[in-house]
Structures are given as C-alpha cells and as structure tokens.
Amino acid sequence: MGKRLEVIRKIRMKTADILEILYLVILAFLTGYNTLRATQIEAAWDTFFVEQPVLHELYRIIFMEPQQILLGLVVLRFLISKKYDWREWAVAAVLYLCAEHAVGINGYDNILFMVLMILGARGISFRKIIKVYFSVSLLATAGVVLGSQVGWIENLVYQQPGRNIRIAFGFGYPTSFAAHVYFLVLCYWYLRSRRLTVVEPVIPAFFGVFVYVFCEARFTSILLLLMALVMCCHVLLEMYAKRKGRIYRMHPVWSGVLALSPVFCAGGINILSVLYSKQNSLLDYLNRLISSRLSLAEKGIELFGFSFWGTDIRMIGNGGTTARQSQYFFLDSAYMQFSLQYGLVILFLILMMMILLCCRARAQKQWEFLWVLVFVAINGVIEANIFQLIYCPFLLAFFAETGEKLKSRRKLNEKN
C-alpha cells in the first residue's frame, strides 16, 4: 500500500511539473504572438490557415481565444498541486467568477484572459516566469525594431503640430514602443536585483533619453530617468550597508508608503478626473501638461459614468496610422479604463492584487521588486499597460512563488 501511494505521489509530482512547463510554453507563445499582432506587420492574423479548417480551429483556440485552454490548465494545476490551501482556492474562485461576470456585461475578454494567466502561474517561480517573458518580449521587440529599420515593417513617423518628429519603430504608436522598452527595463531590474552594479542604472537613463529624442514619450522618459536615479541610490545604499557589515533594510515607514502607491496613484487620477473643470486654472494647466488626459477622462465619466461591472466604450486613438483622427477619444490612464470600462469591482480586485504584491515584497524584504511594482503603479496613471500581458507581466506574481530571494537573503544573513 505504501509503495502504491509513493508511485501515485511521484506521478502527481511529475504531472505537476509537466503542467508547469506547459504554462511557461503557453506564456511564451501568447506573449510573442500578441506582441507581434500589436505591430505594423502586415498579416491577416484572423484568417491564418482558413483554408484548412482543422489547423484554423487549432490556431483559433490556442492563439485567438485561449481562455478555454487556460481554464483547463488552471483547473488541472489546482487539482494536481504540490500543496493545497483552501484560501488560495477561494480567492481564485472569486477572481474567476468576477472576471467571467464582468466580461459577460462589458465584453472585454482581456479581463478573463489576464485572470486565467494569473491563476495559472500558481506556485511557479516568478523569476522563471519573468525570464521566459523577458526573453520572448525582448526578441519580439528587437525583431520588430530591426524590421522597421530595414523596410520589412511599416515604420510610422508622426509629425504633429507643436511636437518633434515621433517614430513608432514598427509599433502602432511611438508610446507603444516606449512602453515595451519601459517594461523590459523593469524586467531586467527585477532579474538583476541584488546583483545590480552601480554602472547599470545607465541602462534606463540611456533609454529615457532615447525614447524622448526619437518618440517624445515624455512621461515614459521621465519615469525611466527617475528609475535610473532610484536604482543608483538603492545600489549605493546597499553598498554602504555592506561596508558596515549589515544587510540593507528600507525604513518601515517609507516601505509602507511605497506599498500603498497603487492606491495613491489610482485615487489621485480618479479624483482629479472627477474634479476637472476648464474653469479651474490649476487643473486646466495640469490637463494640458498631460495631453488632455483629465478632460478626456471627465468626458468619459459624463458620458458613461461609473458602474460596478463596466461598460463597452468605443475608443478612437491615433495608433496604426499617421492620419489625424477627427473624433479622437481615448482613456489613456489604466485606472480610468478599469473604472469606466472594466467596472469598479474589477478596479478593486486589480488594486488589491497590486497592494498585496507590494506588501508581500515588503514582508520578504525584496526591495527591488517593491520598487518595480511602484513604477508599474505610477505608469498606470498616464498609460493603460498594467493589465496587458504584452507590456506588463508583474501581476502574474500574485499566485506565483516569489519567496526564493527571501531564502537566499536568510542564508546571506547566516553567513554574516
């Protein structure tokens, strides 16, 4: 009986390992596919293999509508698990049911897709997830940029009144390219963590200047330069602590403030959008400074209002063509998109995941990861990238295993 149980245990463990590899393979394929699909590559993505029904159906359920495959994978990974925790099951059920209900009302399939990707990452090393994501995303981005420079992919160049020439480098819009650069740098920072040297902050500084000169992505440029400063200060503080014979620890008050950054960011832009009025000179100046984001958000609130489960809002942006849009309407802020399109329930769930991730990073003393999450939260004030896999993979950490670095730090403490 004991041998039989041991065989069953080994089979279950082996199956769990296979399902983990399958998740990482799916992550790689979907990251690459969706990244390329959001570029200026001329391809009839929806009609691939249309003359071969079997292949086309397989292509559709794997790449175009992967929710069913992901759901099956999630269920299997939870059932054949190396450990069971009823609280994780309860949270997973709430997330899935809320996402499914929201999609049924507002029609945004990305909500269910992202929730399933988050649930599927349960128990997998987050460092492993980021390595896979970073490799695929870097390769896809570099390939698109190269293709745009040699003429294989359309390279949109925008000449807008009052602005410098803005280059999209094969993507749909200059800020889209800048966003890929921004999150790739954040992935690099997370992967390097404590091994970061005092020289490496030059990477975000270089790209901060680059995306400003060639894309005039002002907000992303400012954040990249700020990132370089924070990285440099953090490395210097760790070096100073090491010389003193101790491990660097962030001040608890400061780390507590950083952990609440998603609330400050979401609350700040939502409140400013609600209060916006052209008659208010301060808010009007801020609105012009951030390219009319407050006035557009205020218009969205007036037309559609806040609701628990969101509503389908047709947005018209400048991406994909250099022709000026006569009826431009786009909600750039991720938090405003969550509030109006996804609904207040989904906004609450996303914020809770972000806050809990920040608190976990703080508790595990993963200061680099905490800073990465802060920069993710700040990015959401102006741009809508937080809940899009092709840009931001960091919410996948919610169910993933992020505790490896805590173990290594404990070993380091014991040595010291």
Side-chain angles (χ1 to χ4, degrees):
M1 185 64 178
K3 289 183 178 179
R4 185 179 297 177
L5 289 175
E6 180 64 19
V7 170
I8 293 173
R9 188 189 70 83
K10 287 182 177 180
I11 292 174
R12 184 171 62 84
M13 296 286 283
K14 186 66 175 178
T15 305
D17 291 338
I18 292 172
L19 291 174
E20 177 178 316
I21 294 171
L22 180 59
Y23 173 85
L24 294 173
V25 170
I26 291 174
L27 171 67
F29 276 117
L30 291 179
T31 298
Y33 172 78
N34 289 317
T35 299
L36 295 178
R37 186 164 182 167
T39 68
Q40 290 301 109
I41 294 176
E42 294 183 4
W45 300 99
D46 295 341
T47 59
F48 278 178
F49 312 111
V50 72
E51 295 179 356
Q52 298 172 292
V54 176
L55 285 178
H56 180 71
E57 183 64 15
L58 190 62
Y59 167 75
R60 184 187 64 81
I61 62 175
I62 294 176
F63 293 102
M64 297 172 60
E65 299 175 16
Q67 288 87 343
Q68 294 303 316
I69 287 181
L70 288 174
L71 178 59
L73 180 62
V74 167
V75 171
L76 287 175
R77 293 209 69 246
F78 269 75
L79 290 176
I80 307 173
S81 177
K82 296 178 182 179
K83 63 176 182 178
Y84 293 96
D85 187 336
W86 70 268
R87 292 168 297 184
E88 285 189 344
W89 285 64
V91 172
V94 169
L95 284 174
Y96 174 75
L97 292 174
C98 287
E100 188 177 44
H101 184 69
V103 172
I105 293 175
N106 59 47
Y108 291 105
D109 292 340
N110 185 59
I111 301 172
L112 185 58
F113 169 72
M114 280 300 296
V115 165
L116 289 172
M117 289 299 298
I118 290 168
L119 299 181
R122 179 179 183 265
I124 301 176
S125 165
F126 187 58
R127 179 165 292 275
K128 192 183 297 182
I129 289 173
I130 291 297
K131 283 181 179 179
V132 171
Y133 175 88
F134 179 75
S135 301
V136 174
S137 184
L138 179 62
L139 183 63
T141 302
V144 170
V145 171
L146 178 62
S148 71
Q149 299 308 297
V150 299
W152 296 342
I153 301 173
E154 183 182 12
N155 188 21
L156 297 174
V157 178
Y158 291 80
Q159 297 180 343
Q160 298 161 321
R163 305 196 70 166
N164 297 328
I165 292 177
R166 309 177 72 196
I167 306 173
F169 290 99
F171 290 87
Y173 200 65
T175 53
S176 298
F177 165 72
H180 281 287
V181 171
Y182 180 81
F183 282 98
L184 282 171
V185 173
L186 283 179
C187 289
Y188 177 83
W189 189 4
Y190 175 78
L191 291 173
R192 290 292 294 164
S193 297
R194 287 180 62 86
R195 293 172 296 169
L196 201 71
T197 65
V198 73
V199 179
E200 286 172 278
V202 74
I203 295 173
F206 168 79
F207 283 112
V209 174
F210 184 92
V211 298
Y212 180 79
V213 172
F214 294 99
C215 307
E216 203 176 320
R218 294 172 294 194
F219 186 69
T220 302
S221 177
I222 291 171
L223 286 186
L224 284 167
L225 293 174
L226 180 61
M227 194 189 304
L229 178 62
V230 170
M231 288 171 66
C232 186
C233 291
H234 187 76
V235 170
L236 291 175
L237 286 171
E238 287 198 326
M239 290 173 61
Y240 177 78
K242 188 175 181 180
R243 288 179 183 176
K244 293 291 184 178
R246 54 187 175 83
I247 302 297
Y248 168 72
R249 294 179 183 272
M250 189 180 292
H251 193 283
V253 174
W254 179 238
S255 63
V257 171
L258 293 182
L260 293 175
S261 59
V263 175
F264 299 142
C265 292
I269 190 64
N270 278 28
I271 291 171
L272 289 174
S273 299
V274 170
L275 296 178
Y276 172 75
S277 171
K278 197 169 184 178
Q279 282 68 45
N280 187 314
S281 57
L282 180 60
L283 289 180
D284 189 49
Y285 173 75
L286 179 61
N287 179 56
R288 285 183 277 110
L289 192 66
I290 59 176
S291 304
S292 301
R293 281 170 169 81
L294 292 182
S295 58
L296 289 169
E298 188 270 338
K299 181 180 179 181
I301 295 170
E302 181 182 346
L303 291 175
F304 304 101
F306 295 102
S307 63
F308 284 115
W309 300 105
T311 185
D312 184 10
I313 301 175
R314 182 172 178 267
M315 295 198 294
I316 303 172
N318 287 324
T321 175
T322 56
R324 190 171 180 83
Q325 298 291 346
S326 58
Q327 296 181 329
Y328 179 87
F329 176 72
F330 201 90
L331 298 171
D332 290 281
S333 168
Y335 304 115
M336 288 309 304
Q337 284 195 11
F338 300 157
S339 301
L340 300 181
Q341 294 181 284
Y342 293 179
L344 296 177
V345 173
I346 301 300
L347 169 68
F348 173 77
L349 292 176
I350 293 173
L351 285 179
M352 285 303 301
M353 284 191 283
M354 294 178 69
I355 293 167
L356 290 173
L357 276 175
C358 289
C359 290
R360 189 198 303 174
R362 181 174 182 249
Q364 295 178 344
K365 297 178 176 55
Q366 296 185 34
W367 311 123
E368 300 85 358
F369 188 29
L370 178 57
W371 272 115
V372 166
L373 292 169
V374 169
F375 276 95
V376 169
I378 297 173
N379 179 267
V381 174
I382 297 296
E383 297 184 3
N385 304 319
I386 294 176
F387 216 56
Q388 296 188 56
L389 182 63
I390 61 173
Y391 296 113
C392 179
F394 293 104
L395 284 184
L396 301 182
F398 186 67
F399 270 91
E401 177 59 56
T402 59
E404 297 93 342
K405 286 188 66 59
L406 179 63
K407 296 176 185 176
S408 65
R409 290 185 186 217
R410 282 176 178 168
K411 289 179 182 178
L412 185 61
N413 278 324
E414 290 172 1
K415 289 180 181 179
N416 290 336

